[in-house]
Amino acid sequence: MSVQELEQIFLAKIEQEIRIEPKDWMPDAYRKTLIRQISQHAHSEIVGMLPEGNWISRAPSLKRKAILLAKVQDEAGHGLYLYSAAETLGTTREQTINDLHSGKAKYSSIFNYPTLTWADIGAIGWLVDGAAILNQVMLCRTSYGPYARAMVRICKEESFHQRQGFDILMVLSKGTPEQRAMCQDAINRWWWPSLMMFGPHDSESTHSEQSTQWKIKRMSNDELRQKFVDMIAEQVKVLNMTLPDEHLKWNEETKHYDFGGINWTEFWNVVKGNGPCNKQRLDARRKAWDEGAWVREAASAHAAKRKMRQEKQIA
Amino acid sequence: MTKDATYNYLLHLADNALILAQRNSEWCGHGPVLEQDIAITNISLDLIGQSRSLYQYAAELINEGTGAATEDTLAYLRDTRDFKNCLLVEQPNGDWAQTILRQFFFSTYQFFLYQRLQQSGDAHLAAIAEKSLKEVTYHVRWSSEWVIRLGDGTEESRNRLLNALDELWMFTGELFVPSAYESEAFKAGIGVDVSALKANWEQRVNEVFEEATISIVSTSAWMQSGGKEGAHTEHLGFILAEMQYMQRVYPGCEW
Ligand SMILES: [Fe+2]
Ligand SMILES: [Fe+2]
């Protein structure tokens, strides 16, 4: 079959909403886009463990400690599913991780902001996991089978995370003046970076058009962002807190919330590596990987020895 | 049997679990490989769960309906001298070998302890032991496999394991020397005679060490003790300073 014919079959499948599976023929650019996106997503789960992990040892109650620990562990699991999904496209986990450590691969910029108070753990669950869910719910219907299936599993856990985050803030919002101030401060700091999570405006987004055509993406950055603003603008009222945007206002005509301009200079700056924690996050990941090298070597050396002994026994 | 002895006995069991959970949780996000990051976090979660059941029961015991003590006041508002955990669990994580060996020593001890504690005359405590034993059985298996892997892996992993043995062996003796409240709890039919666990523990350790191709250095080496009675190593103060930070800075809040 010629490449043109193969491509037609591929596009017809996309058209008919038939999932593309690992053994199917796919255009090189489709494969590359997916590898880039899935590994970026995997890295975000793993790097995302760090800002929240920062509060495990200091969680204010045993119940909160257990919930937070389980949450961060979930994120490790998400990373694992996603690395596996990327592997179905012909990469290895090691390669993918090397790309992260060399700075070649990106991860979500949101994790380059510091967690300064306990309220940040609530704000991350509510806003960051909340923003992630909107993206991930869309990806449950993405055209590549293993990616879509990984997303279905992940989405179930993410909605727990968001509720738990909201619950942390809810308790703070009903607490002492200090707790309420802590709550508002965290919302103030995390609001704008979470809006940036949806990426550049549709007009500026380089990969969007092709991804939409291939049904990797099914909603645009700006559509998802608007959905998020509409959702959070309502939920923040339950907390009796405010969002730090004087332009935020319900628009009766569009039936959406209008909101102020995003600081894109800050966004690109953090993407380029100049966020408050870019260096620490990458250093922490590299350190864990490098210091774990001897452990991984020992495990494979032992496995090889065992295999040899077993083979000898059989022989 | 004084109520104090039961209370102290429960705190001792709970503190052991909590402090080791706190230590293990330092690995979360920093493990040598993703699957093991998840595994050590799981153990940490199991141990927090055990400590919570034990603290809740201890709180019930001293409250008599007043409701003043909770799992959190017990975990967050006692100071170093009141903590009754053994010295082993408060030792730093060190490298993966040290964390693994600490877990293996402790889980093996906890396994034989809970096995007997299932027959405790205190039904509530027996139930906690029964539930925990399932988890601990897995902890023993997981840590045993890692001890074997490291001992029988590469030269480096073997050396690191031997180093860990050097660091930790001196903290194992304390496990089998009963404190006053343990003796009292045993006499009252509530607790376990920990000195009777030693033979089983050594046998299991030797079996795993044999597979790991290493051996117990010198069994006559000096053993450190005091943790159970509140005489800790300098590490515990820092563990508590970090763990209790929020409750100390913002006293009396809901979280
Ligand atoms: Fe996640
Ligand atoms: Fe999450």
Side-chain angles (χ1 to χ4, degrees):
Chain A
M1 227 182 282
S2 71
V3 172
Q4 282 89 340
E5 283 169 311
L6 288 167
E7 189 149 12
Q8 260 164 18
I9 297 171
F10 169 82
L11 289 173
K13 275 190 190 156
I14 300 269
E15 186 57 39
Q16 293 160 45
E17 302 285 334
I18 298 170
R19 290 266 155 80
I20 307 300
E21 295 299 333
K23 290 202 172 98
D24 295 346
W25 184 92
M26 61 187 88
D28 238 18
Y30 177 82
R31 185 185 298 274
K32 274 193 188 132
T33 302
L34 276 169
I35 290 177
R36 197 196 66 244
Q37 188 177 326
I38 298 175
S39 49
Q40 190 169 321
H41 195 159
H43 300 327
S44 300
E45 301 284 356
I46 300 306
V47 177
M49 295 169 75
L50 299 170
E52 289 182 283
N54 184 36
W55 278 88
I56 291 169
S57 66
R58 291 175 292 169
S61 72
L62 294 180
K63 186 181 131 200
R64 292 290 178 205
K65 188 190 285 292
I67 291 174
L68 178 59
L69 198 51
K71 193 234 174 188
V72 179
Q73 188 195 36
D74 283 348
E75 307 300 1
H78 299 172
L80 212 51
Y81 305 158
L82 286 162
Y83 284 128
S84 305
E87 280 182 326
T88 64
L89 291 157
T91 60
T92 65
R93 202 202 297 184
E94 191 143 6
Q95 259 171 350
T96 316
I97 289 175
N98 282 341
D99 287 346
L100 170 71
H101 294 170
S102 73
K104 192 179 146 203
K106 298 285 177 218
Y107 56 88
S108 180
S109 278
I110 191 85
F111 301 120
N112 291 317
Y113 291 87
T115 48
L116 301 180
T117 71
W118 170 249
D120 289 24
I121 301 307
I124 289 182
W126 178 43
L127 297 174
V128 177
D129 288 80
I133 290 170
L134 290 181
N135 195 36
Q136 288 167 350
V137 165
M138 167 189 79
L139 289 171
C140 290
R141 296 185 299 121
T142 194
S143 57
Y144 186 57
Y147 193 22
R149 287 189 288 273
M151 279 303 129
V152 173
R153 291 172 76 178
I154 289 175
C155 277
K156 282 186 198 141
E157 292 175 356
E158 294 296 3
S159 56
F160 270 111
H161 298 170
Q162 198 197 14
R163 252 178 285 163
Q164 287 159 352
F166 190 76
D167 186 59
I168 288 175
L169 297 185
M170 195 69 192
V171 172
L172 294 178
S173 75
K174 290 178 181 162
T176 63
E178 274 170 312
Q179 285 178 302
R180 284 201 297 276
M182 192 189 281
C183 181
Q184 183 63 61
D185 169 62
I187 294 171
N188 291 349
R189 279 181 292 113
W190 290 93
W191 171 245
W192 289 107
S194 25
L195 286 191
M196 295 176 196
M197 281 176 74
F198 297 96
H201 281 310
D202 298 344
S203 52
E204 314 276 323
S205 182
T206 40
H207 303 295
S208 276
E209 206 178 313
Q210 182 67 81
S211 287
T212 307
Q213 201 199 332
W214 281 333
K215 295 187 182 167
I216 295 175
K217 268 177 86 96
R218 287 172 177 270
M219 280 174 90
S220 77
N221 293 355
D222 285 327
E223 281 172 319
L224 285 167
R225 187 166 19 238
Q226 183 66 57
K227 223 178 152 180
F228 179 69
V229 172
D230 291 345
M231 174 175 87
I232 298 298
E234 287 302 317
Q235 292 176 354
V236 76
K237 292 179 190 165
V238 183
L239 293 174
N240 270 317
M241 296 281 148
T242 56
L243 296 174
D245 180 359
E246 53 178 6
H247 299 290
L248 187 81
K249 212 176 138 218
W250 177 251
N251 184 327
E252 199 44 57
E253 241 165 75
T254 60
K255 299 285 177 204
H256 288 294
Y257 276 91
D258 291 336
F259 56 100
I262 291 169
N263 182 347
W264 294 111
T265 318
E266 176 181 326
F267 172 80
W268 288 114
N269 218 1
V270 181
V271 170
K272 280 181 197 130
N274 300 324
C277 298
N278 289 61
K279 186 174 183 310
Q280 290 93 315
R281 299 292 184 243
L282 217 48
D283 284 351
R285 285 314 312 161
R286 284 196 201 110
K287 183 168 179 273
W289 186 251
D290 293 346
E291 288 180 357
W294 71 269
V295 179
R296 297 189 300 273
E297 278 159 25
S300 53
H302 173 69
K305 280 185 197 174
R306 266 181 73 153
K307 201 174 156 212
M308 229 165 66
R309 282 196 290 261
Q310 276 165 357
E311 277 166 7
K312 255 189 204 157
Q313 259 176 12
I314 295 163
Chain B
M1 177 75 182
T2 63
K3 203 169 78 179
D4 251 18
T6 315
Y7 174 66
N8 285 333
Y9 189 59
L10 290 171
L11 287 183
H12 158 67
L13 297 174
D15 291 346
N16 272 346
L18 178 62
I19 298 301
L20 188 54
Q22 178 79 0
R23 276 300 193 207
N24 283 340
S25 74
E26 293 170 27
W27 278 105
C28 184
H30 307 275
V33 65
L34 215 39
E35 287 83 347
Q36 301 310 324
D37 199 304
I38 293 173
I40 190 96
T41 303
N42 247 338
I43 293 177
S44 196
L45 280 165
D46 287 344
L47 290 169
I48 292 179
Q50 292 172 19
S51 77
R52 291 182 67 190
S53 305
L54 291 159
Y55 285 134
Q56 283 163 13
Y57 184 30
E60 216 174 275
L61 206 66
I62 55 161
N63 275 339
E64 288 181 328
T66 63
T70 65
E71 57 174 24
D72 287 328
T73 63
L74 294 177
Y76 290 92
L77 300 178
R78 284 179 303 135
D79 203 354
T80 315
R81 300 283 282 133
D82 302 317
F83 265 74
K84 293 171 174 50
N85 60 278
C86 58
L87 300 174
L88 178 66
V89 296
E90 69 196 40
Q91 296 313 304
N93 286 348
D95 59 12
W96 187 248
Q98 200 167 319
T99 294
I100 289 295
L101 193 63
R102 184 184 63 196
Q103 193 65 47
F104 172 61
F105 283 158
F106 182 74
S107 294
T108 306
Y109 161 77
Q110 222 189 11
F111 176 83
F112 293 116
L113 177 77
Y114 282 166
Q115 212 176 39
R116 296 192 185 198
L117 210 51
Q118 290 182 110
Q119 278 91 50
S120 168
D122 182 314
H124 193 153
L125 186 53
I128 295 174
E130 192 188 338
K131 181 172 176 285
S132 308
L133 188 62
K134 293 192 188 97
E135 298 164 352
V136 174
T137 305
Y138 167 75
H139 305 169
V140 172
R141 202 178 74 199
W142 179 84
S143 57
S144 302
E145 283 170 2
W146 267 107
V147 168
I148 294 164
R149 229 171 255 143
L150 297 181
D152 186 43
T154 62
E155 203 185 319
E156 180 175 9
S157 67
R158 181 189 172 77
N159 285 335
R160 283 176 184 267
L161 185 63
L162 291 172
N163 271 337
L165 184 57
D166 228 27
E167 290 287 326
L168 296 176
W169 183 253
M170 70 178 110
F171 301 110
T172 58
E174 185 191 17
L175 299 172
F176 308 104
V177 182
S179 60
Y181 52 81
E182 282 174 294
S183 297
E184 212 184 312
F186 171 58
K187 281 188 206 119
I190 285 170
V192 170
D193 173 17
V194 288
S195 65
L197 305 178
K198 196 175 179 188
N200 282 335
W201 183 86
E202 276 181 355
Q203 196 195 336
R204 170 79 202 196
V205 167
N206 278 321
E207 281 165 13
V208 171
F209 277 12
E210 203 183 299
E211 249 194 277
T213 69
I214 64 169
S215 62
I216 292 171
V217 257
S218 149
T219 38
S220 64
W222 176 254
M223 288 294 175
Q224 298 295 338
S225 63
K228 293 176 182 184
E229 314 275 7
H232 292 276
T233 58
E234 289 177 346
H235 302 297
L236 187 68
F238 291 96
I239 296 176
L240 297 185
E242 197 169 327
M243 186 175 81
Q244 299 179 339
Y245 158 73
M246 290 295 289
Q247 292 271 354
R248 300 291 188 181
V249 177
Y250 304 98
C253 292
E254 287 282 318
W255 299 100

